[in-house]
Amino acid sequence: MESRFTPPRRLLLGPGPSDAHPRVLAALGQPLIGHLDPAFLALMDDVKRMLRAVFRTRNELTFAVSGTGSAGMEACLVNLLEEGDEAVVMVNGEFGRRMTDIVERCRARLVAHEIPWGRAVEPDDVAQAIAKARQPKLVAMVHAETSTGAQSPIAEIAPIVARSGALFVVDTVTSLGGCPVEVDGWGIDACYSGTQKCLSCPPGLSPLTFGERALEALRRRRSKVQSWYLDLTMIEKYWGAERVYHHTAPISMSYALAEALRVVEEEGLEARFERHRRNHLALAAGLEALGFRFVVEPDRRLWMLNSVYLPALASGRDEAQLRRRLLDDFSIEVGGGLGAFKGKIWRIGLMGESSRRVNVMRLLEALEVLLPDAGVTLRAGASLAAAEACA
Ligand SMILES: Cc1ncc(COP(=O)(O)O)c(C=O)c1O
């Protein structure tokens, strides 16, 4: 009996993780060194420099939290909030909702502003939310809401938050590396991301950056940060010049992130964004030719995450069966809906390495085979032609 786990070869077109670059996978297999080895400290400095470039920030405190994207979310909120502080959270999907949960666990006063799923957060929504609050310490929201496929205009929202005097905390887990994120240019005070989406690295680290105002708030705290593990007052001493041990850094994941960031640097951010945009447009044309309908209006659609309603299937057939056949027969993973969208939509990711024209075509070809079998009438080849016309 085979005692080793051998994962099946998949094409990852879901909401994350995305396919990792072979160089990133090779980096994971490099020999271990100590987390205070001069060579490792030099690697940490490289990671910080390259993360500043992708976040487009000069923030000194820019590093990778040990943990997935949720750890970055929690790190931002637990470090900035204390009992009795007020926090406005914009909720237009699952990840905004998750932020409200963390705010409550911080015993802060939560002002949650709900927006229908599938819609972006607009500047007026934020103005209304702030008007409901007394004096919020921070406003938090998600740039690219992975549960719905909506992208919110952070550049237009930031000045409204700035006028209120609140700190601006933004989740860029899905957007970073796939579309513009301008931490300094837009005026974001605290921002976090994840490695397994458009950076195309395995899940396990959460890039995070804190600006001057966020650092000031951290230094002015009246109480200790609730979480020992995520306490930035201690972690910054490990990632900064002092190199004081806090916890053992995930060595292999750091190799992988450094390599993933080098791949991003070599491609160039603008070229990478353009690749994501073009492949999204090709996929959108193909999906619409197959009868899928987008959840989000065109101007607010994410390039890296396409959320779509399926065409009507024959009775007795459902989206989960179709996804399973895509996985079993074509080895392609796409995501189902979360929360209110469960059973109703698909979430098709074109993130990082997965965002390739060849992958768009592979998915459309598979759907051209599977959909007629599920009772959908198609004009054979139409989706491929529609995608091809977007070249
Ligand atoms: C927008 C957003 N925020 C936060 C998270 C949580 O990240 P993780 O699952 O890596 O903890 C995700 C994960 O999909 C996400 O899409």
Side-chain angles (χ1 to χ4, degrees):
M1 196 183 79
E2 176 73 74
S3 59
R4 213 172 76 146
F5 175 67
T6 309
R9 294 288 291 267
R10 302 287 192 217
L11 171 58
L12 298 179
L13 300 183
S18 60
D19 286 336
H21 194 286
R23 275 169 52 191
V24 173
L25 296 178
L28 282 166
Q30 296 286 346
L32 291 183
I33 54 178
H35 71 107
L36 291 170
D37 189 300
F40 190 70
L41 299 180
L43 182 91
M44 289 167 75
D45 286 343
D46 274 357
V47 166
K48 289 200 293 190
R49 177 185 62 73
M50 291 187 285
L51 282 180
R52 285 192 194 104
V54 289
F55 273 128
R56 292 191 158 151
T57 182
R58 295 161 69 98
N59 289 342
E60 178 53 36
L61 188 60
T62 302
F63 71 102
V65 176
S66 304
T68 61
S70 306
M73 181 188 285
E74 193 145 10
C76 282
L77 295 172
V78 299
N79 279 277
L80 293 176
L81 291 174
E82 293 182 74
E83 187 165 354
D85 285 342
E86 189 179 44
V88 171
V89 180
M90 307 304 298
V91 184
N92 65 332
E94 170 57 25
F95 296 101
R97 192 209 55 74
R98 188 175 293 187
M99 283 179 162
T100 65
D101 192 352
I102 301 175
V103 166
E104 284 178 335
R105 288 163 193 253
C106 294
R107 300 184 195 287
R109 180 170 179 272
L110 169 68
V111 179
H113 193 85
E114 302 268 349
I115 287 149
W117 282 39
R119 186 154 90 53
V121 175
E122 299 295 341
D124 273 355
D125 299 316
V126 177
Q128 281 170 31
I130 292 173
K132 286 195 296 195
R134 294 178 200 144
Q135 201 181 4
K137 182 165 186 189
L138 62 80
V139 173
M141 63 177 285
V142 178
H143 179 206
E145 186 41 88
T146 329
S147 59
T148 71
Q151 166 164 212
S152 296
I154 300 295
E156 294 165 40
I157 291 170
I160 296 168
V161 178
R163 276 199 292 280
S164 77
L167 296 166
F168 194 22
V169 177
V170 180
D171 173 315
T172 61
V173 169
T174 283
S175 48
L176 193 72
C179 67
V181 171
E182 303 273 352
V183 167
D184 290 359
W186 293 344
I188 299 173
D189 295 296
C191 189
Y192 61 90
S193 187
T195 45
Q196 75 272 27
K197 312 259 181 176
C198 294
L199 298 179
S200 273
C201 191
L205 290 173
S206 175
L208 174 146
T209 184
F210 258 42
E212 267 314 307
R213 293 179 67 232
L215 276 177
E216 245 176 71
L218 180 64
R219 311 231 187 285
R220 280 204 312 263
R221 286 183 69 97
R222 307 175 297 275
S223 56
K224 275 189 175 180
V225 175
Q226 301 88 304
S227 163
W228 183 90
Y229 195 69
L230 297 174
D231 184 339
L232 294 184
T233 64
M234 294 193 279
I235 295 174
E236 71 169 335
K237 295 197 177 83
Y238 175 53
W239 279 84
E242 293 151 281
R243 306 293 189 185
V244 178
Y245 165 64
H246 177 257
H247 65 272
T248 310
I251 308 287
S252 309
M253 267 308 295
S254 305
Y255 298 163
L257 178 58
E259 197 56 27
L261 290 168
R262 269 182 223 114
V263 171
V264 172
E265 203 171 64
E266 285 165 25
E267 179 174 16
L269 278 178
E270 293 303 330
R272 198 172 176 90
F273 300 157
E274 182 57 13
R275 174 163 64 80
H276 280 81
R277 189 185 72 84
R278 292 171 72 102
N279 289 332
H280 155 71
L281 290 177
L283 179 66
L287 289 174
E288 279 169 343
L290 292 172
F292 287 85
R293 276 182 311 110
F294 271 79
V295 171
V296 179
E297 59 164 307
D299 283 358
R300 295 293 188 238
R301 281 178 200 163
L302 292 172
W303 301 335
M304 66 289 288
L305 199 275
N306 300 270
S307 56
V308 283
Y309 294 106
L310 282 80
L313 306 180
S315 83
R317 301 302 185 90
D318 64 30
E319 68 78 25
Q321 289 166 348
L322 203 57
R323 259 190 304 130
R324 186 60 201 249
R325 281 206 63 198
L326 205 49
L327 193 70
D328 291 343
D329 299 352
F330 294 87
S331 223
I332 300 175
E333 178 187 272
V334 300
L338 289 181
F341 284 145
K342 191 167 166 29
K344 298 200 177 120
I345 67 165
W346 274 5
R347 294 179 302 145
I348 305 174
L350 289 176
M351 300 177 172
E353 284 306 307
S354 295
S355 175
R356 302 277 168 205
R357 175 57 63 108
V358 64
N359 295 342
V360 170
M361 293 312 203
R362 226 179 108 181
L363 176 63
L364 294 174
E365 273 166 11
L367 292 173
E368 290 235 357
V369 174
L370 291 179
L371 285 171
D373 211 35
V376 181
T377 310
L378 294 182
R379 206 156 46 82
S383 72
L384 297 166
E388 199 53 49
C390 289

